[in-house]
Amino acid sequence: IVLSPGGVESFVIPPTTFQDARIAAPNSSRSSSCHRSLQEPRVRFSSDENDEISPTTSPPPPEEKRHHRNKSKGNDDNQPLISTHGRQQQQQQQQQHTRHAAIDLAHSVDSAGKEFVSDLRKDLMSRLTMFTPPPTGELSHDNKGAVVASGERKQVDNNSGSAHRLSLDDRKNMLVSRTKEWKRLQKHAKDEIEKMHLRDLMMEEERCDTMCAEWDGVYLDYSRQRADLKTMKLLRELADRQDLKGKIQQMVSGEKINFTEDRSVLHTALRADKSSIGSIVVDGQDCVEDVHKTLDQVRQFTDAIRNGDIRGYTGKRLRNFISVGIGGSYLGPEFLYECLKTEPDGINSALGYNLRFLSNVDPVDIERTCADLDPEETLIIVVSKTFTTAETMLNARTMRQWLWDFMGNDKEVVRKHVVACSSISATDKVEEFGINTDDYFFKFWDWVGGRYSVCSAVGAVPISLQYGFDLFEKFLEGARSIDKHFVSAPFEQNIPVIMGLLGVWNHSFMNYNTRTTLPYAEALLKLPAHIQQLDMESNGKRVTKHGVEVDYNVGEVDFGEAGTNGQHSFYQLLHQGQTVPCDFIGFIASQHDLCMDGEDMTSHDELMSNFFAQPDALANGKTADEVRAEGVKEDLVIHRTFHGNRPSLSLILPKLTAYAAGQLLSIYEHRTAVQGFIWDINSFDQYGVELGKKLANEIKDHVHNARKNQSEDVDGPNPSTTRLLKYYLTKTKENESACSDERSILSLSSVTRKTYKDHFPPTPPESHDLGGPLGKM
């Protein structure tokens, strides 16, 4: 298939290869009917402004007449052939259309064939819009100047032909907002949904019974969304138009859908079963096999630590674990750590162990993390994909110095007390840091994004050290369950797809710019922060894969809080301020329930009563007449009136276990991907994060030079920043001179002034040789 900047130029499809081309109509009988009818004259399918298909017969050009004459004389070649017109003539024809690709077919069609060709055209147009230009906006072309595309993204020889660029208007016409499916939803929202109130929609029994889905103990109720059954049908049509099913398959099969970085996106492979070994191969590597090799290594290492077979430099057992990372290297593992802290199996398996997370480059975070720990019993886990993340590596060097301060700077201190979770490409940097890359290095891969990495060694190592590998494996099984559901379930019952489509609906069509996650379980207190990064870093974009800025809303602002705490924090805004769609998450059973003497119900029932009441309060509100009926003074009625009509959905799971935590993680990961797929953006890069890092490095140079020269004379990038820098440097110098300790700030080297010895009674001294300066790095 050869696609030119104006559309489809030509193609040759032998009847026997329709199925192999992966573009046959879904109905095989219809395809067979079409195969039988591919014999006679040329039919052209053009596109009008409404994207309706209109067949118009036209006589074949002279060269095709010769082809037909040959066939009538007994030529057995039954391949329908479409010759390419002279390039100049065809470009003129294409310019007359409304910048929609036109398909020329060299065969007649009967009534079934017309329907087949309609589906064929839609599929080809979908593939045209799915074609991904390189980040610069340049398209790859063949030696005739046409874009070459197929069912899979292919590289084009750089030496072939001159480069052409689609016009801005052509690329804008690829925006999903230009499709009829999008426009239908816009019209539906304006003409129908805006006139409806949830108070009335919630009384429609058929609607409420239909707007729910269930899988493996996870129950989703979305009947409190400002949507009806027609809305969901239109959203599924939009999903079909965007080839959501195909994009999901591309992701889980390892195609390089992260087009700006030319990488696969395979967080689902991190929890794939061993039976899937051999099913996903990227750049010659069996991904699932590599994953299980690393998981087996994690199991062996963490079991040896917990059994006491691997000990620290001084021979003590390693009981404390500090995971040093930031962003996805920290938020996901901490979310899981908090889930399991009060889970019965987690409580039992964590006895005697202590896991902490060090993420902030603020020295206060270091003090809070390691002040009461014994370095001789502490293992440091450095988590950085590239092993170059500025904040993480500064904290890692600080932790290394902390170990040296107490045990001497023998190189074996680092080799026995520091492990790394990093990409294979960072092996040299890990070794340079002093880490034992044979036994203390746990790899993950470039096809794992940081915010999607909790199922890799990033989460496996710290969680397995604290709770044991068996519990982490249950977490993987829960995530795998939702992965299977996401790939195989029809969209009408597909929980992550439904949630993703509703996210698009609320943000892009209902214009709600924020969204909140409200888990009614204290153990999920870190889930909203993880979802915040997962969603906002993934979909906080402004450019589509076609290289044009979106003209529709993408990327909500996410926030949240656990349980009833949020009710006394920001629910006032949810009820009477701006409209914020809400995700309520609850559990049938508590990790630890209580029923006090004299109380009417258990504490969990009290909690869940709020879980059920809040969505109804948001949906129904409270009318002025209802307020007056309570005897409220007239001048206060308006203040105590709630308009309602505020959307929410409810997720209910059996109990918060490691398995359920894996299910929740997978649901929200896939919801994020679905929204990105519909919006035609890349949910798997994060270039916005890097701009601030670059500027921070420049500012660091200014601050370093000022400290070194003991001067407040500094030039910032602009007058405002220069003024702030001078103020900061002046005040820190004043504070330094006011201190009784006259040391320069640059001379401070002790990591922490308080240690575990300040918090616990002294113990008899132990005699051992710390190695002193021997083996100094």
Side-chain angles (χ1 to χ4, degrees):
I1 302 170
V2 182
L3 305 178
S4 74
V8 177
E9 280 201 10
S10 64
F11 58 88
V12 178
I13 307 179
T16 57
T17 62
F18 273 104
Q19 291 182 349
D20 292 340
R22 298 183 183 177
I23 53 175
N27 190 319
S28 59
S29 62
R30 192 165 70 233
S31 302
S32 300
S33 174
C34 185
H35 291 178
R36 293 192 298 270
S37 65
L38 303 180
Q39 302 296 333
E40 293 299 328
R42 174 192 190 89
V43 177
R44 173 176 299 154
F45 287 81
S46 62
S47 172
D48 60 21
E49 290 293 339
N50 295 320
D51 201 31
E52 299 295 337
I53 299 172
S54 53
T56 58
T57 59
S58 62
E63 65 271 23
E64 292 192 29
K65 289 182 180 179
R66 290 194 297 271
H67 174 71
H68 285 282
R69 282 198 300 271
N70 291 336
K71 292 190 69 168
S72 66
K73 291 180 181 179
N75 188 346
D76 292 333
D77 180 13
N78 63 351
Q79 281 195 354
L81 175 65
I82 303 178
S83 300
T84 305
H85 289 231
R87 180 166 303 279
Q88 183 176 2
Q89 180 182 355
Q90 189 165 20
Q91 289 177 348
Q92 291 174 353
Q93 291 176 347
Q94 289 166 349
Q95 291 171 358
Q96 294 173 0
H97 293 174
T98 60
R99 289 191 173 88
H100 289 282
I103 298 180
D104 290 329
L105 297 177
H107 34 70
S108 64
V109 289
D110 54 18
S111 58
K114 291 178 182 178
E115 189 174 358
F116 168 79
V117 173
S118 172
D119 290 340
L120 175 62
R121 177 189 177 279
K122 289 179 181 178
D123 193 85
L124 286 173
M125 288 299 298
S126 175
R127 293 181 185 278
L128 172 62
T129 58
M130 284 192 296
F131 175 74
T132 302
T136 60
E138 293 289 346
L139 294 173
S140 301
H141 297 73
D142 66 4
N143 55 11
K144 294 182 179 180
V147 181
V148 180
S150 67
E152 296 182 358
R153 184 170 179 259
K154 292 185 177 180
Q155 298 296 328
V156 180
D157 186 354
N158 292 329
N159 297 323
S160 61
S162 59
H164 290 269
R165 184 193 298 270
L166 282 175
S167 72
L168 181 59
D169 286 342
D170 284 332
R171 284 182 284 130
K172 283 184 176 180
N173 280 333
M174 293 180 177
L175 289 170
V176 64
S177 57
R178 303 295 177 92
T179 65
K180 62 183 180 184
E181 291 82 2
W182 188 276
K183 295 182 185 300
R184 286 171 182 166
L185 280 161
Q186 286 179 319
K187 179 176 174 57
H188 173 64
K190 181 180 179 182
D191 296 347
E192 299 177 56
I193 297 300
E194 288 290 354
K195 299 175 182 178
M196 300 178 182
H197 196 288
L198 276 171
R199 190 182 301 116
D200 302 317
L201 290 173
M202 290 296 297
M203 300 306 295
E204 298 178 12
E205 186 172 352
E206 180 184 359
R207 172 187 173 276
C208 292
D209 289 344
T210 303
M211 298 181 77
C212 59
E214 185 174 7
W215 170 261
D216 193 17
V218 180
Y219 188 85
L220 169 68
D221 183 314
Y222 57 100
S223 60
R224 290 170 183 80
Q225 289 286 319
R226 291 191 64 190
D228 59 13
L229 300 182
K230 180 180 178 181
T231 311
M232 301 310 299
K233 178 177 180 292
L234 292 175
L235 285 169
R236 290 192 295 270
E237 288 176 357
L238 177 64
D240 291 339
R241 170 63 182 77
Q242 291 297 91
D243 191 29
L244 178 59
K245 191 75 174 177
K247 291 176 179 177
I248 292 171
Q249 189 59 42
Q250 287 176 342
M251 181 179 75
V252 301
S253 63
E255 292 192 32
K256 296 184 178 180
I257 62 172
N258 179 353
F259 50 85
T260 57
E261 298 176 313
D262 194 32
R263 291 175 178 172
S264 300
V265 177
L266 280 173
H267 44 279
T268 52
L270 297 174
R271 51 252 192 172
D273 189 78
K274 280 189 175 181
S275 62
S276 299
I277 289 177
S279 62
I280 305 173
V281 178
V282 174
D283 296 332
Q285 295 295 314
D286 187 328
C287 297
V288 179
E289 183 178 32
D290 288 348
V291 165
H292 280 279
K293 284 180 180 178
T294 298
L295 290 177
D296 290 343
Q297 181 194 7
V298 171
R299 178 194 289 272
Q300 182 179 1
F301 177 80
T302 55
D303 284 352
I305 291 284
R306 291 171 61 86
N307 293 336
D309 296 332
I310 295 178
R311 296 182 177 238
Y313 177 73
T314 61
K316 289 187 177 181
R317 291 190 62 166
L318 297 168
R319 306 175 184 275
N320 308 313
F321 315 113
I322 299 177
S323 181
V324 181
I326 198 167
S329 300
Y330 146 68
L331 291 168
E334 188 181 41
F335 139 71
L336 181 55
Y337 163 71
E338 292 290 346
C339 286
L340 302 180
K341 186 190 289 186
T342 46
E343 202 262 354
D345 290 338
I347 291 175
N348 293 330
S349 58
L351 289 174
Y353 299 102
N354 183 11
L355 173 61
R356 299 185 184 182
F357 295 89
L358 174 59
S359 61
N360 202 323
V361 76
D362 187 340
V364 172
D365 198 13
I366 297 169
E367 181 77 19
R368 292 159 63 101
T369 299
C370 63
D372 59 345
L373 299 182
D374 182 351
E376 298 174 37
E377 297 180 345
T378 302
L379 184 71
I380 310 298
I381 308 152
V382 182
V383 185
S384 175
K385 185 173 182 178
T386 62
F387 227 65
T388 59
T389 306
E391 300 92 336
T392 297
M393 296 316 299
L394 176 56
N395 281 340
R397 292 190 295 272
T398 304
M399 288 293 92
R400 182 175 63 182
Q401 185 63 50
W402 179 66
L403 296 172
W404 283 341
D405 283 350
F406 287 95
M407 290 183 283
N409 54 4
D410 190 328
K411 64 181 180 181
E412 287 299 313
V413 171
V414 176
R415 291 178 64 83
K416 290 184 176 293
H417 285 266
V418 184
V419 304
C421 299
S422 189
S423 171
I424 296 174
S425 58
T427 302
D428 291 343
K429 294 183 177 65
V430 172
E431 188 172 12
E432 181 182 344
F433 192 85
I435 296 172
N436 177 357
T437 54
D438 292 329
D439 303 315
Y440 286 56
F441 180 28
F442 303 92
K443 304 174 181 66
F444 59 105
W445 304 269
D446 289 339
W447 41 259
V448 181
R451 55 192 175 276
Y452 296 94
S453 65
V454 64
C455 293
S456 72
V458 170
V461 173
I463 297 301
S464 298
L465 285 169
Q466 178 70 6
Y467 297 111
F469 186 85
D470 289 344
L471 205 55
F472 182 78
E473 196 167 40
K474 292 180 181 178
F475 167 73
L476 296 181
E477 291 170 1
R480 186 187 310 145
S481 167
I482 297 298
D483 291 345
K484 177 181 177 182
H485 169 68
F486 179 55
V487 171
S488 62
F491 288 170
E492 294 88 343
Q493 289 295 312
N494 195 310
I495 291 173
V497 169
I498 292 170
M499 292 174 64
L501 292 178
L502 288 171
V504 171
W505 168 250
N506 284 327
H507 191 39
S508 298
F509 297 97
M510 302 304 291
N511 296 314
Y512 301 142
N513 295 322
T514 54
R515 176 173 56 191
T516 185
T517 306
L518 307 169
Y520 275 65
E522 184 64 18
L524 287 177
L525 78 164
K526 293 296 183 179
L527 176 64
H530 177 57
I531 300 305
Q532 178 177 299
Q533 191 225 4
L534 172 67
D535 203 74
M536 294 171 68
E537 192 168 274
S538 293
N539 291 337
K541 310 293 170 59
R542 65 178 182 84
V543 179
T544 72
K545 64 182 181 181
H546 308 300
V548 292
E549 293 192 14
V550 296
D551 59 3
Y552 43 90
N553 291 341
V554 301
E556 308 92 328
V557 174
D558 280 274
F559 68 100
E561 180 63 65
T564 53
N565 290 345
Q567 293 178 197
H568 296 270
S569 175
F570 52 80
Y571 276 38
Q572 168 61 41
L573 181 143
L574 300 185
H575 284 288
Q576 288 188 306
Q578 60 178 284
T579 301
V580 181
C582 303
D583 287 8
F584 290 91
I585 303 172
F587 297 89
I588 294 172
S590 172
Q591 287 183 333
H592 296 277
D593 205 357
L594 292 173
C595 186
M596 303 298 295
D597 291 342
E599 297 292 338
D600 296 335
M601 60 172 54
T602 68
S603 298
H604 186 66
D605 282 346
E606 178 80 23
L607 176 72
M608 291 301 290
S609 296
N610 285 274
F611 170 85
F612 293 117
Q614 290 296 332
D616 275 347
L618 290 166
N620 294 324
K622 195 172 186 179
T623 66
D625 289 341
E626 290 172 333
V627 175
R628 291 189 184 97
E630 295 176 350
V632 175
K633 295 180 180 180
E634 188 62 32
D635 58 345
L636 293 179
V637 168
I638 191 171
H639 296 283
R640 302 182 66 171
T641 298
F642 299 82
H643 293 303
N645 214 23
R646 292 160 186 263
S648 67
L649 59 81
S650 300
L651 276 171
I652 303 180
L653 292 86
K655 186 177 181 179
L656 183 52
T657 60
Y659 189 89
Q663 290 179 305
L664 281 173
L665 176 87
S666 183
I667 286 171
Y668 279 97
E669 285 180 345
H670 295 323
R671 181 194 73 172
T672 296
V674 167
Q675 293 188 221
F677 289 150
I678 298 296
W679 284 328
D680 268 337
I681 59 178
N682 186 1
S683 300
F684 310 106
D685 64 9
Q686 56 281 331
Y687 289 113
V689 178
E690 297 172 15
L691 175 61
K693 291 182 179 180
K694 181 177 181 298
L695 294 177
N697 287 331
E698 295 175 0
I699 296 296
K700 278 171 21 180
D701 291 338
H702 290 301
V703 174
H704 174 73
N705 291 333
R707 296 284 194 211
K708 185 176 180 180
N709 299 326
Q710 296 187 348
S711 170
E712 295 85 44
D713 187 16
V714 60
D715 290 326
N718 56 67
S720 177
T721 304
T722 299
R723 185 177 67 254
L724 287 171
L725 283 171
K726 287 183 177 180
Y727 182 84
Y728 170 72
L729 292 167
T730 300
K731 292 300 181 181
T732 53
K733 188 174 183 180
E734 291 175 0
N735 290 342
E736 179 186 353
S737 61
C739 292
S740 58
D741 187 348
E742 297 296 333
R743 294 179 299 167
S744 165
I745 289 179
L746 290 180
S747 70
L748 297 177
S749 61
S750 178
V751 175
T752 176
R753 268 64 62 198
K754 288 187 177 181
T755 72
Y756 73 102
K757 296 177 181 177
D758 297 298
H759 297 269
F760 299 99
T763 57
E766 299 180 3
S767 59
H768 54 71
D769 181 11
L770 296 179
L774 299 178
K776 182 176 180 181
M777 296 182 63

